[in-house]
Amino acid sequence: MSSPEIEEVRQRMIAAPGQSFELSSRDSGDRELFPDKKHARKQLQVDAGAIDELQDLLYACRQRALLVVLQGMDTSGKSGVIRNVFAQTSPLGMKVKAFKAPSKEELAHDYLWRVHEAVPPKGIIGIFDRSHYEDVLVVKVRDFAPAEMVEQRYDQINQFEKLLSENGVTILKFMLHIGHEKQGERLKERVTEPHKRWKFNPGDLEDRKLWPDFMDAYETMVNRCSTPWAPWYVIPSDSRTRRNAAIARIVRGTLEDMNLDWPQLELRAEDYDFS
Amino acid sequence: MSSPEIEEVRQRMIAAPGQSFELSSRDSGDRELFPDKKHARKQLQVDAGAIDELQDLLYACRQRALLVVLQGMDTSGKSGVIRNVFAQTSPLGMKVKAFKAPSKEELAHDYLWRVHEAVPPKGIIGIFDRSHYEDVLVVKVRDFAPAEMVEQRYDQINQFEKLLSENGVTILKFMLHIGHEKQGERLKERVTEPHKRWKFNPGDLEDRKLWPDFMDAYETMVNRCSTPWAPWYVIPSDSRTRRNAAIARIVRGTLEDMNLDWPQLELRAEDYDFS
């Protein structure tokens, strides 16, 4: 059994820019590309190793940055992706930012202010664990901002991401797509399994009650913000292993597509005194 | 003799968005609105006082920020404007940022990264002494970036400023327009007058040699980036007094147009125990 080609994974999971997207057309339990779990796990190991090597190259070249945006409902596995896909990558080459509810200082600025600050510099892989998309997700569902302001944000975000992409930042956006039933199981695990209890937050159950509203907001987000310069990938996430394997494939492919090469430095030993 | 109405100053100095702008049509020595220097000085004092009061209101409301962008050739008076127009405003309500040549860390990010960080929060007047416009001025004239990259920046800047303006930041952009001859005089003063010598930088003479290229870059900048949400004002700056007076009028008018009112707090003394 062979792993799916990277292009195959991309084609299946991308929300093609300019095309209408329906979340209901995507199966959060999709196994077609990775029917065998064990094989997916093996492929993930191989890809995580390749990502590590490509990160070294990215750092040596300092020409580009990679920004990985992770969005998904609670338990969809944002931290699991960070832990597993980048398990072999040196923390020196990574900049991870988890976005929480904004501080008073942050609220006194536009919502992209703290986001721009966190963008990775050239040479670095940045990970956003949640992101500016919260400003069109929870903010929209819970009416934390007027509807007209939220409406303006899709275009503001597209323009912001365009700026980044035109200035050396490659953007990969992953929606971790988990089913309603699966989330219920995982939240319950957080209560029943003692070593998972630290993760339990009763507030997550409040969001769960608004599930259809959140799904609407996710669908609109993907529809409005999957652009040629920063497309959304919708990753079936009911299976942790397949989710990680799919993301690793796409991250690896994206780094390979940068066609980076070790900087050619003209150094001659005879020019230096090593005595 | 009466001072010109604020609207009169604006109309004369704005580069109207959507209209073609020619720098040569603007007289850096224009005195029409302020024929009498002494009167201009008096008006400046009055306006600086009003700006101080309006700043207090801005701070109390915390609904909006004002960002004042100052651009101009050496000796055009950027620091003079800051010193004189905001002479009476409390430093607590101001955030002044002087943009120098970017650091290594800054260069590893897109050019708007450090700019976004410096944007004033709500309640504050921010001043940019030079700004992101250097990235289409000196960077263009001296080929510090490829021409195609510079070309992309006008639209990136417009979109960035649109984001700010849609999120509570009012933007005022002043090009301090000084004549070639006048600059020669002022640079010479920096050599001949002992107490001004600390300001002299031989590098300024290098920029002076590229005067026509700089004027072209300024003209393009105004043409491409005078937008309804962030218009450029071209301020005749051969006379320091008239320059300051004109800017103070416009700043004052802009703050007044925000129609801010003291927050209405429902407080009743009988609800508290002051004994």
Side-chain angles (χ1 to χ4, degrees):
Chain A
M1 194 176 287
S2 79
S3 282
E5 295 297 321
I6 288 170
E7 203 42 42
E8 213 179 336
V9 183
R10 278 185 178 144
Q11 287 307 321
R12 192 166 180 89
M13 303 194 179
I14 199 169
Q19 284 175 33
S20 168
F21 169 78
E22 280 178 41
L23 191 51
S24 59
S25 71
R26 302 293 178 112
D27 176 6
S28 61
D30 180 26
R31 300 178 169 204
E32 179 154 322
L33 292 184
F34 299 99
D36 180 38
K37 212 169 182 173
K38 216 166 164 186
H39 193 83
R41 201 171 285 124
K42 220 181 258 171
Q43 183 62 53
L44 171 63
Q45 293 315 312
V46 174
D47 285 342
I51 289 169
D52 175 40
E53 280 177 35
L54 287 158
Q55 205 296 308
D56 284 347
L57 193 52
L58 189 76
Y59 193 78
C61 293
R62 310 259 177 124
Q63 292 299 309
R64 299 199 66 78
L66 175 66
L67 173 59
V68 176
V69 174
L70 300 175
Q71 280 293 158
M73 296 295 284
D74 293 310
T75 77
S76 63
K78 297 179 289 293
S79 34
V81 169
I82 299 172
R83 183 185 300 266
N84 290 285
V85 175
F86 301 98
Q88 299 177 45
T89 315
S90 165
L92 259 180
M94 312 266 305
K95 183 175 175 179
V96 181
K97 169 80 179 177
F99 286 94
K100 313 281 184 191
S103 70
K104 218 170 159 181
E105 191 198 359
E106 289 166 348
L107 281 174
H109 286 93
D110 70 90
Y111 66 103
L112 292 176
W113 181 75
R114 63 175 186 160
V115 177
H116 206 160
E117 196 284 327
V119 168
K122 286 169 188 166
I124 299 293
I125 297 180
I127 317 272
F128 284 180
D129 174 356
R130 303 182 187 275
S131 68
H132 42 302
Y133 285 100
E134 291 295 328
D135 294 290
V136 294
L137 291 170
V138 67
V139 169
K140 184 183 196 185
V141 170
R142 294 198 176 277
D143 289 324
F144 290 156
E148 320 83 72
M149 286 211 75
V150 172
E151 178 56 33
Q152 290 181 321
R153 287 180 178 174
Y154 302 105
D155 191 46
Q156 290 167 351
I157 288 172
N158 289 343
Q159 294 299 333
F160 170 67
E161 292 177 350
K162 191 164 185 235
L163 165 77
L164 299 184
S165 105
E166 288 175 346
N167 285 273
V169 183
T170 299
I171 303 173
L172 274 177
K173 302 186 295 199
F174 297 112
M175 173 188 170
L176 309 189
H177 179 33
I178 187 179
H180 184 254
E181 198 181 338
K182 179 58 84 174
Q183 193 206 35
E185 282 172 32
R186 289 202 186 151
L187 284 174
K188 202 170 166 198
E189 274 174 20
R190 289 186 178 179
V191 176
T192 54
E193 294 185 26
H195 71 282
K196 288 191 176 171
R197 281 188 192 140
W198 65 273
K199 286 187 177 181
F200 184 68
N201 172 5
D204 296 350
L205 291 170
E206 296 304 311
D207 279 356
R208 183 169 166 77
K209 283 182 196 149
L210 298 168
W211 189 269
D213 295 337
F214 270 103
M215 291 307 108
D216 278 358
Y218 270 101
E219 187 173 85
T220 304
M221 166 192 92
V222 172
N223 256 311
R224 300 283 296 274
C225 297
S226 197
T227 55
W229 54 87
W232 272 107
Y233 291 91
V234 180
I235 309 292
S237 298
D238 284 355
S239 155
R240 296 181 173 99
T241 308
R242 292 178 183 89
R243 172 200 70 204
N244 295 342
I247 291 181
R249 293 253 75 187
I250 297 171
V251 170
R252 177 183 178 170
T254 303
L255 287 167
E256 284 174 350
D257 284 354
M258 290 183 187
N259 283 316
L260 300 174
D261 204 355
W262 293 97
Q264 301 298 314
L265 298 173
E266 303 244 341
L267 295 180
R268 296 183 316 174
E270 57 265 41
D271 289 345
Y272 300 89
D273 182 2
F274 292 100
S275 64
Chain B
M1 194 176 286
S2 77
S3 282
E5 295 297 321
I6 288 170
E7 205 40 43
E8 213 179 335
V9 183
R10 278 185 179 145
Q11 288 304 322
R12 193 167 178 88
M13 304 196 178
I14 199 169
Q19 283 174 36
S20 169
F21 168 78
E22 280 179 40
L23 191 51
S24 59
S25 71
R26 303 294 177 110
D27 176 8
S28 61
D30 179 26
R31 300 177 168 204
E32 181 153 320
L33 291 184
F34 300 98
D36 180 36
K37 212 171 185 173
K38 218 165 162 185
H39 194 84
R41 201 171 286 126
K42 221 181 260 172
Q43 183 61 54
L44 171 63
Q45 293 315 312
V46 174
D47 285 343
I51 290 169
D52 175 39
E53 280 177 34
L54 288 158
Q55 206 295 309
D56 284 347
L57 195 50
L58 189 75
Y59 193 78
C61 294
R62 310 260 177 125
Q63 293 299 309
R64 302 200 62 79
L66 176 65
L67 173 58
V68 176
V69 174
L70 300 174
Q71 281 292 157
M73 296 295 286
D74 293 310
T75 78
S76 62
K78 297 178 289 293
S79 34
V81 169
I82 299 173
R83 182 185 304 265
N84 290 285
V85 175
F86 302 97
Q88 299 178 46
T89 314
S90 164
L92 260 180
M94 312 265 307
K95 182 175 174 177
V96 181
K97 169 79 180 178
F99 286 94
K100 312 281 183 191
S103 69
K104 219 171 158 180
E105 192 199 357
E106 289 166 348
L107 281 174
H109 287 93
D110 68 272
Y111 65 104
L112 291 176
W113 181 74
R114 63 176 186 161
V115 177
H116 206 161
E117 198 283 327
V119 169
K122 285 168 189 164
I124 300 292
I125 298 180
I127 318 270
F128 284 180
D129 174 356
R130 304 182 187 274
S131 68
H132 42 302
Y133 285 99
E134 291 294 328
D135 294 290
V136 294
L137 292 170
V138 66
V139 169
K140 184 183 196 185
V141 171
R142 295 200 175 274
D143 290 324
F144 290 156
E148 319 85 70
M149 285 210 76
V150 172
E151 176 57 32
Q152 290 181 322
R153 288 181 178 173
Y154 301 105
D155 190 46
Q156 291 167 352
I157 288 172
N158 289 343
Q159 294 298 334
F160 170 64
E161 292 177 351
K162 191 164 187 234
L163 165 76
L164 299 183
S165 105
E166 287 175 345
N167 286 274
V169 182
T170 299
I171 303 172
L172 276 176
K173 301 186 295 199
F174 296 111
M175 173 187 169
L176 309 188
H177 179 34
I178 188 179
H180 185 253
E181 199 181 334
K182 180 56 83 175
Q183 192 205 37
E185 282 171 33
R186 290 202 185 151
L187 283 174
K188 203 171 164 196
E189 274 174 18
R190 291 186 176 178
V191 175
T192 54
E193 295 186 24
H195 71 283
K196 289 192 176 171
R197 281 189 190 138
W198 64 273
K199 286 186 177 183
F200 184 69
N201 171 6
D204 297 349
L205 292 169
E206 296 304 312
D207 279 355
R208 183 169 166 77
K209 283 183 196 149
L210 298 168
W211 189 270
D213 295 337
F214 271 102
M215 291 307 108
D216 279 357
Y218 270 101
E219 187 173 85
T220 304
M221 167 192 90
V222 172
N223 258 310
R224 300 283 297 273
C225 296
S226 198
T227 56
W229 55 87
W232 271 107
Y233 292 90
V234 180
I235 309 293
S237 299
D238 284 355
S239 155
R240 295 180 173 100
T241 307
R242 293 179 182 90
R243 172 199 70 202
N244 295 342
I247 290 181
R249 293 254 75 187
I250 297 171
V251 169
R252 177 183 178 169
T254 303
L255 287 167
E256 284 174 349
D257 284 354
M258 290 183 188
N259 284 315
L260 300 175
D261 204 354
W262 293 98
Q264 300 299 316
L265 299 173
E266 304 243 343
L267 295 180
R268 296 183 314 174
E270 57 265 41
D271 290 344
Y272 300 89
D273 181 2
F274 293 99
S275 63

